[in-house]
Amino acid sequence: FTLGIDSYTISVQDYELQNDACDDARSIASLPYQLADTTVGAQPDFTVDTCGVDASANGVWYTYTPTETKTIRVFVERTSGTGSATLTYLRVFTGNECGSLSCLTYYGGHYSGDSSATFVGQAGVTYKFLVSPKEFTLGIDSYTISVQDYELQNDACDDARSIASLPYQLADTTVGAQPDFTVDTCGVDASANGVWYTYTPTETKTIRVFVERTSGTGSATLTYLRVFTGNECGSLTCLTYYGGHYSGDS
């Protein structure tokens, strides 16, 4: 109980996010792209669970059509809020028509509140990004979305990381790598997308190469190691290969 609030103004108005609906997605003209945004006030986008997220999840949309085929990384950083209600979920769809989108990938629920996706964007294909919580909430008050080209240093054979001396150890990733061959090669499918290293010993000796998978589970993240000989990437010879062990190592 007080003597009262002497004066105030109340305003009641419609509130609509510019990019609440798929058809009103923010258009990304070029990369890199970055924007501080919010999902507060957004409405649910689907009537059934879609692309790994609950039907009630209420998010906002972005759209991008690359002019050349390249690897693209989308990163959503939660900049305010705590707890599960404000964890960001990022969904990537393909398709020009909002009524017939195809789910390409999704990620979310990380304790940091952030989410990301890395994928190969095909020239002329329209991609739509949907940022939302896992299920209906009052919204993610603020976050920053970043979309940029993503290129691995050693994606191509000609750009292999050079190993100067042994022992050698490096934490690395194949996320964003492109396929290396047009036919099945050295025991592995043509579509396999990997990264390269090169080493030239100065003396004859026995060499052991060990690849330890440090994240991920399931057959999609089993590592395969191929060893080739040759100076010219266009005329390599397969020496040996190993992979597919349940541990994920090779």
Side-chain angles (χ1 to χ4, degrees):
F1 181 83
T2 68
L3 292 178
I5 301 166
D6 187 54
S7 65
Y8 65 88
T9 299
I10 181 173
S11 300
V12 184
Q13 58 189 7
D14 294 335
Y15 177 83
E16 186 175 354
L17 287 169
Q18 173 189 327
N19 54 335
D20 184 16
C22 175
D23 286 326
D24 298 322
R26 290 186 188 272
S27 179
I28 300 172
S30 61
L31 303 186
Y33 173 87
Q34 188 175 74
L35 181 73
D37 212 344
T38 181
T39 69
V40 172
Q43 301 299 306
D45 298 285
F46 300 98
T47 56
V48 296
D49 295 356
T50 302
C51 203
V53 180
D54 193 88
S56 69
N58 46 329
V60 293
W61 294 82
Y62 307 83
T63 182
Y64 175 63
T65 304
T67 56
E68 60 180 326
T69 298
K70 57 186 176 181
T71 302
I72 298 167
R73 184 171 190 263
V74 185
F75 179 68
V76 179
E77 179 186 9
R78 180 180 66 179
T79 52
S80 71
T82 57
S84 60
T86 60
L87 298 180
T88 65
Y89 282 75
L90 171 66
R91 286 174 278 180
V92 180
F93 299 89
T94 58
N96 292 311
E97 300 299 326
C98 286
S100 55
L101 298 177
S102 297
C103 174
L104 178 65
T105 187
Y106 74 95
Y107 180 81
H110 192 268
Y111 67 88
S112 67
D114 304 336
S115 54
S116 65
T118 304
F119 62 95
V120 177
Q122 302 294 327
V125 174
T126 297
Y127 297 88
K128 296 189 185 296
F129 314 133
L130 176 58
V131 178
S132 73
K134 174 69 172 175
E135 55 194 16
F136 186 84
T137 70
L138 293 177
I140 301 163
D141 188 52
S142 64
Y143 64 87
T144 299
I145 181 171
S146 303
V147 187
Q148 58 190 9
D149 295 340
Y150 181 85
E151 185 175 354
L152 288 169
Q153 173 188 325
N154 55 334
D155 185 17
C157 173
D158 286 326
D159 298 321
R161 290 186 188 273
S162 179
I163 300 171
S165 60
L166 304 185
Y168 173 87
Q169 187 175 70
L170 180 73
D172 212 344
T173 181
T174 68
V175 172
Q178 303 296 307
D180 299 285
F181 299 98
T182 56
V183 297
D184 295 355
T185 302
C186 203
V188 181
D189 193 88
S191 66
N193 47 326
V195 293
W196 294 82
Y197 306 84
T198 182
Y199 175 63
T200 304
T202 56
E203 60 181 329
T204 300
K205 56 185 175 182
T206 301
I207 299 169
R208 182 174 186 261
V209 184
F210 178 67
V211 179
E212 179 186 9
R213 179 180 66 180
T214 52
S215 69
T217 58
S219 60
T221 61
L222 298 180
T223 65
Y224 283 75
L225 171 65
R226 286 174 280 181
V227 180
F228 299 89
T229 59
N231 292 313
E232 300 299 324
C233 287
S235 56
L236 298 177
T237 299
C238 175
L239 179 65
T240 186
Y241 74 94
Y242 181 81
H245 191 268
Y246 68 88
S247 66
D249 304 335
S250 55

